[in-house]
Amino acid sequence: MPKTWQPHQEKKFVRELKLGQPYYVIRDLETRGAPFEDAQRYEEHVFTERSRLTGTPRTDGGMTATQLCRNWGPVYDTPPRNMRRSGEPGPQVGAPLGRDYTAYLDEAELRGLDKRLRDTSDPRTRRI
């Protein structure tokens, strides 16, 4: 059963943490600039060493376990389902359709394509 640590449980998270095991947090993203992107993604953090002074587990980037849990919690020990990891490519909206795909253009689409061709083919009105 997956474990979850809430932000107020940072001491419990530090006690139960295992070095080298990935832990996951969910980040909310702003979608006003990219409306077709996912609103949430998850990040993976692996604690590889302990601080020499306090003994608190740290990531390679220097973030301690208490900082992760308190500032970005809740923390999960399994990756969330149906969610992309931060850094993975987004869904391809304009990908090739394949050879087995056939589509028929109706009259309105043909007129629209013809108008776009006429509007952009004149070298005096073309954008550079």
Side-chain angles (χ1 to χ4, degrees):
M1 184 170 173
K3 290 192 88 168
T4 304
W5 295 273
Q6 297 299 325
H8 66 278
Q9 296 176 315
E10 74 264 3
K11 290 182 182 179
K12 182 179 178 184
F13 176 60
V14 170
R15 280 193 309 268
E16 296 176 359
L17 182 135
K18 295 176 185 165
L19 291 179
Q21 180 179 342
Y23 292 94
Y24 307 92
V25 293
I26 296 175
R27 300 286 300 265
D28 294 327
L29 302 174
E30 183 60 51
T31 57
R32 284 186 288 184
F36 300 110
E37 285 292 328
D38 298 333
Q40 291 183 326
R41 293 189 196 160
Y42 72 89
E43 290 183 352
E44 179 179 309
H45 297 274
V46 179
F47 296 93
T48 56
E49 61 187 7
R50 292 194 176 271
S51 173
R52 291 181 183 163
L53 185 61
T54 61
T56 306
R58 293 188 322 176
T59 62
D60 287 338
M63 183 184 301
T64 65
T66 55
Q67 287 174 337
L68 178 71
C69 191
R70 190 180 302 143
N71 297 333
W72 303 108
V75 179
Y76 305 93
D77 67 344
T78 57
R81 290 185 177 192
N82 302 326
M83 191 178 295
R84 278 193 304 148
R85 184 174 66 89
S86 288
E88 286 184 357
Q92 293 188 359
V93 178
L97 297 173
R99 292 180 181 269
D100 59 343
Y101 180 79
T102 58
Y104 299 99
L105 298 176
D106 62 351
E107 187 179 345
E109 285 179 300
L110 290 173
R111 278 186 286 163
L113 289 172
D114 188 41
K115 181 182 182 320
R116 286 176 86 186
L117 181 66
R118 279 185 278 121
D119 290 347
T120 59
S121 64
D122 187 9
R124 291 173 293 168
T125 60
R126 207 179 319 166
R127 291 185 200 165
I128 297 175

